[in-house]
Amino acid sequence: MDVDDLQLAQNGNKEAINQMIVTYQQSVFNLCYRMLGETTEAEDATQEALVKAVLNLHTYDTERPFKPWLLRIASNECIDRIRRRRPTTSLDGMGEDGAWEWQAGHSPTPEASLLQAEEQTRIRLLLETLPPVERTIITLFYWEGLSYNEIGEITGLTVSAIKSRLFRARRVMATLLVQEESYA
Amino acid sequence: MRDPMQLLNLDWHSEEWWERAFEDDISVQEARLWEKHLVQCAECRREWEALRQLDTILRTAPPAPMLDASFTTRTVTRAVQKQHLRSLLSFLGSAFIIALVAWVVLNFLGNAYVSLGHALHVVRSEWQLLFTSLLQTVLALFTGWKIILPFLLGLAALSFLLLMPNGVLATLLFLWLSRRRPAALAVMN
């Protein structure tokens, strides 16, 4: 999506807004899904973030990259939702969000779906051990493939702070992984 | 022989080193020494392997689900509705503020106008009062001339009496000078 389209969207052009949402909705959803761990809540957060982005398009500086700006709105939305949540962690290995049903609809075999669902749950449980900002950094680094500078644009942290937090987050999750395996 | 770790001034257990090593931000020599350390230190090896395993798990994670087809339509509809609602609220807010400001300004101007009106009224009243008084005086003088006539005649007589002796004296002086004029001219010639 180029600057002209974004300027049209800023002026309230419905076609341009539609195109903006189509272009970025999946990236925003990926971030929300990893951060929140539930499909339904991630969809709600994605919609909320995109609507907020549309309503605040006039504050976007077209000289700067659009995606980090949009993902910052989405990550703030997710962080707010995580902070509003009660500290309940599902330990039964299966999400409450119907992830299994979705996977079943898209995977070739039930076994593969089950494995994928288990993997998603495992990752979700690992991510849930992290504070919201670290969760955002891990998500942006691994699944959005953003550079440290881009992650800095979104989180407002310096590159060295991001590296440090990323490593600490990895360490926490690795420790949990070792514990998980030793219990198994 | 000195310890290579000390030679390179490295601390294998520091967070800074682990960050660099995990980011692969180390030289070939450092990497070789790190490999050696991992063979010797079981604790570091265990943690290093766990980190590597985690990295692989995260990199090979199944993708997030795809959004359903109706999501875009729902989101665009909601965004446009909210945009319209915001425009409406912003219009109503602006109208309210304009009305409020206009009310305050008009109220102030109205008060000022009323005050000015009062002031003008006072000035006009005073002027009218003065004018009326003068007019009434003139009219009174005009209509009641008979009453003041004796005073006027008295005043004229008094003026005559005061001025007449001077006039007589001036006339006599003039006559005397006229008579003396030829004699004066002869003396001068």
Side-chain angles (χ1 to χ4, degrees):
Chain A
M1 194 166 183
D2 58 19
V3 178
D4 292 340
D5 290 330
L6 287 171
Q7 277 172 344
L8 279 175
Q10 276 181 330
N11 295 330
N13 183 299
K14 197 176 170 181
E15 284 301 309
I17 291 171
N18 188 65
Q19 200 192 332
M20 185 203 95
I21 289 175
V22 169
T23 309
Y24 294 105
Q25 62 182 15
Q26 193 61 44
S27 289
V28 174
F29 177 71
N30 290 348
L31 174 69
C32 296
Y33 178 74
R34 294 298 177 195
M35 286 191 71
L36 299 169
E38 291 179 13
T39 312
T40 314
E41 198 183 359
E43 258 192 32
D44 284 351
T46 304
Q47 194 176 63
E48 197 60 41
L50 288 167
V51 169
K52 275 184 185 171
V54 169
L55 293 178
N56 291 294
L57 267 174
H58 61 279
T59 64
Y60 164 64
D61 177 7
T62 48
E63 299 292 314
R64 309 188 77 166
F66 182 70
K67 195 175 172 183
W69 181 80
L70 181 61
L71 291 180
R72 188 173 60 205
I73 294 173
S75 72
N76 287 342
E77 175 66 28
C78 293
I79 289 170
D80 285 349
R81 281 170 183 256
I82 290 166
R83 286 179 181 155
R84 280 202 300 267
R85 273 181 187 171
R86 286 181 183 172
T88 52
T89 306
S90 167
L91 298 171
D92 61 2
M94 185 59 79
E96 306 148 3
D97 57 352
W100 157 250
E101 287 82 1
W102 176 83
Q103 296 289 354
H106 286 75
S107 299
T109 61
E111 290 80 10
S113 300
L114 184 60
L115 283 173
Q116 272 204 350
E118 279 178 355
E119 197 61 27
Q120 296 281 34
T121 307
R122 190 186 192 192
I123 289 165
R124 180 171 62 81
L125 291 174
L126 285 171
L127 286 170
E128 276 178 2
T129 60
L130 301 175
V133 176
E134 275 73 3
R135 215 183 289 190
T136 312
I137 294 170
I138 287 279
T139 305
L140 295 171
F141 183 79
Y142 281 103
W143 295 296
E144 286 303 314
L146 299 185
S147 67
Y148 292 125
N149 283 325
E150 286 171 320
I151 296 173
E153 287 248 344
I154 295 166
T155 56
L157 296 169
T158 61
V159 170
S160 61
I162 290 164
K163 282 185 178 176
S164 176
R165 283 183 179 224
L166 183 63
F167 183 74
R168 282 178 200 167
R170 281 179 183 135
R171 213 166 202 174
V172 168
M173 289 195 290
T175 309
L176 197 76
L177 202 66
V178 170
Q179 282 174 2
E180 195 184 272
E181 282 176 359
S182 63
Y183 286 134
Chain B
M1 190 184 164
R2 286 182 70 186
D3 184 358
M5 186 182 84
Q6 285 176 344
L7 194 71
L8 293 168
N9 197 22
L10 298 172
D11 176 6
W12 300 131
H13 300 108
S14 73
E15 193 175 286
E16 189 194 348
W17 166 257
W18 276 74
E19 265 181 53
R20 280 184 52 215
F22 203 77
E23 293 290 325
D24 213 12
D25 187 20
I26 53 176
S27 67
V28 179
Q29 191 189 2
E30 285 173 333
R32 208 164 37 237
L33 291 169
W34 177 236
E35 288 292 331
K36 274 186 187 172
H37 176 74
L38 287 179
V39 172
Q40 289 160 3
C41 180
E43 198 183 331
C44 284
R45 189 170 59 247
R46 210 167 28 247
E47 193 168 351
W48 186 255
E49 280 167 8
L51 281 167
R52 285 282 175 219
Q53 191 192 351
L54 175 81
D55 194 58
T56 310
I57 288 171
L58 295 178
R59 285 185 196 282
T60 57
M66 294 297 289
L67 285 162
D68 66 79
S70 66
F71 180 84
T72 311
T73 318
R74 279 186 285 129
T75 308
V76 172
T77 308
R78 197 166 154 228
V80 171
Q81 274 175 354
K82 278 214 163 189
Q83 224 175 17
H84 287 162
L85 183 67
R86 183 184 263 197
S87 302
L88 181 69
L89 287 175
S90 132
F91 171 76
L92 289 175
S94 307
F96 175 74
I97 288 167
I98 289 169
L100 190 70
V101 170
W103 181 77
V104 169
V105 169
L106 288 176
N107 199 25
F108 172 76
L109 284 178
N111 283 342
Y113 179 75
V114 168
S115 303
L116 184 69
H118 279 305
L120 286 172
H121 181 69
V122 168
V123 169
R124 199 174 58 183
S125 302
E126 285 174 352
W127 172 251
Q128 275 181 345
L129 189 66
L130 182 67
F131 183 76
T132 311
S133 306
L134 281 170
L135 195 66
Q136 280 176 350
T137 307
V138 170
L139 281 173
L141 287 171
F142 185 73
T143 52
W145 64 275
K146 282 180 182 171
I147 299 165
I148 59 164
L149 189 61
F151 297 101
L152 285 173
L153 289 172
L155 187 67
L158 188 64
S159 304
F160 180 77
L161 285 173
L162 283 172
L163 295 172
M164 195 54 201
N166 295 325
V168 171
L169 285 173
T171 308
L172 291 174
L173 180 66
F174 181 74
L175 288 171
W176 181 76
L177 282 173
S178 299
R179 284 191 180 185
R180 294 293 297 170
R181 191 179 173 194
L185 285 171
V187 172
M188 284 174 73
N189 290 327

